[in-house]
Amino acid sequence: AQKITQTQPGMFVQEKEAVTLDCTYDTSDPSYGLFWYKQPSSGEMIFLIYQGSYDQQNATEGRYSLNFQKARKSANLVISASQLGDSAMYFCAFSRMNTGFQKLVFGTGTRLLVSP
Amino acid sequence: DVKVTQSSRYLVKRTGEKVFLECVQDMDHENMFWYRQDPGLGLRLIYFSYDVKMKEKGDIPEGYSVSREKKERFSLILESASTNQTSMYLCASSFDGSMNTEAFFGQGTRLTVV
């Protein structure tokens, strides 16, 4: 079974600084996808960024980028120029096609706190 | 905009009760998922469905069942609620056929079993 590991229960960063949230995964599948979601205190899950296993370049979406190192099986989220509104839980998720349909498996999450 | 709606934001039920959590999506998604979220454990997949009347067990299906009679609706059933099922329950949906489509989530149901 696939396993997603987020080793940082909590991270602190000062406003305007960059922060990296770690995510490693364990799979023998050659084809898979990796997602990052944000969950503010209000509870809704917000999709941030996606990286496919065959994508040649690291994914970027505004201030979010994904540092994808396939050989190390890591997919770290980098948030540049942190803002107070970035304070939230962040979840890494692994996706594979399970006999034709998608299955999403999540890590345990990292709580990010951005201070002024 | 995609909308995934869960019928209740908060629920309090008694031990032994049969509990229904309802989820409706309005974007004609094939896949639907039920997760439970607990502190320190992240989101764990209970069941998922990739078509009407089709279901697959996730990682923690014990004590739960599901029903998908219509494409837009996916119900999670606790046959006999127990206190260890006190948790946040999240429903999600996504398009079929590709692993790069993101899942859209409902607002969550916080269930307390007393």
Side-chain angles (χ1 to χ4, degrees):
Chain A
Q2 287 70 35
K3 188 176 178 183
I4 294 280
T5 302
Q6 294 180 254
T7 57
Q8 306 155 315
M11 289 286 285
F12 294 89
V13 67
Q14 210 152 17
E15 205 176 3
K16 299 184 183 137
E17 299 284 315
V19 63
T20 298
L21 306 184
D22 294 342
C23 174
T24 58
Y25 57 94
D26 184 16
T27 185
S28 55
D29 294 310
S31 179
Y32 53 87
L34 295 150
F35 296 82
W36 277 92
Y37 284 83
K38 172 184 178 181
Q39 187 182 43
S41 55
S42 52
E44 78 272 24
M45 295 284 282
I46 302 167
F47 165 72
L48 295 178
I49 198 167
Y50 167 82
Q51 179 83 43
S53 59
Y54 291 121
D55 292 344
Q56 294 297 312
Q57 292 189 324
N58 286 344
T60 60
E61 289 286 348
R63 293 186 299 111
Y64 304 108
S65 61
L66 205 151
N67 183 1
F68 181 48
Q69 298 189 43
K70 194 170 181 177
R72 293 186 175 185
K73 295 186 178 177
S74 74
N76 299 338
L77 177 70
V78 181
I79 305 174
S80 63
S82 298
Q83 301 171 356
L84 296 178
D86 294 335
S87 294
M89 281 291 288
Y90 288 82
F91 291 97
C92 180
F94 176 95
S95 169
R96 61 185 283 267
M97 294 300 287
N98 184 12
T99 61
F101 47 85
Q102 183 195 42
K103 182 180 176 183
L104 269 179
V105 177
F106 284 81
T108 53
T110 296
R111 183 172 297 280
L112 176 66
L113 186 60
V114 181
S115 60
Chain B
D1 280 352
V2 173
K3 197 164 183 182
V4 180
T5 304
Q6 294 182 229
S7 52
S8 303
R9 193 73 195 260
Y10 299 95
L11 271 180
V12 180
K13 297 292 182 181
R14 294 195 179 277
T15 302
E17 273 193 79
K18 190 168 186 176
V19 181
F20 293 85
L21 303 184
E22 307 285 348
C23 176
V24 177
Q25 50 94 3
D26 64 0
M27 281 300 290
D28 204 35
H29 286 168
E30 292 84 3
N31 300 331
M32 295 189 76
F33 308 84
W34 274 107
Y35 293 88
R36 67 176 278 177
Q37 181 179 5
D38 300 288
L41 297 177
L43 279 72
R44 292 180 291 166
L45 183 63
I46 305 172
Y47 267 97
F48 61 104
S49 168
Y50 52 93
D51 202 351
V52 175
K53 297 191 186 294
M54 305 304 287
K55 60 187 179 185
E56 289 283 334
K57 291 180 180 179
D59 299 317
I60 52 163
E62 298 78 18
Y64 303 94
S65 62
V66 290
S67 171
R68 193 163 180 204
E69 296 296 320
K70 293 185 178 181
K71 191 175 185 180
E72 68 270 19
R73 187 180 296 270
F74 191 36
S75 302
L76 179 70
I77 303 156
L78 287 65
E79 296 289 342
S80 176
S82 64
T83 54
N84 63 12
Q85 292 177 310
T86 292
S87 185
M88 170 71 90
Y89 289 87
L90 291 165
C91 174
S93 70
S94 70
F95 283 115
D96 192 16
S98 173
M99 64 184 175
N100 67 349
T101 53
E102 74 266 30
F104 295 86
F105 283 81
Q107 77 276 30
T109 297
R110 188 166 292 282
L111 173 68
T112 302
V113 182
V114 298

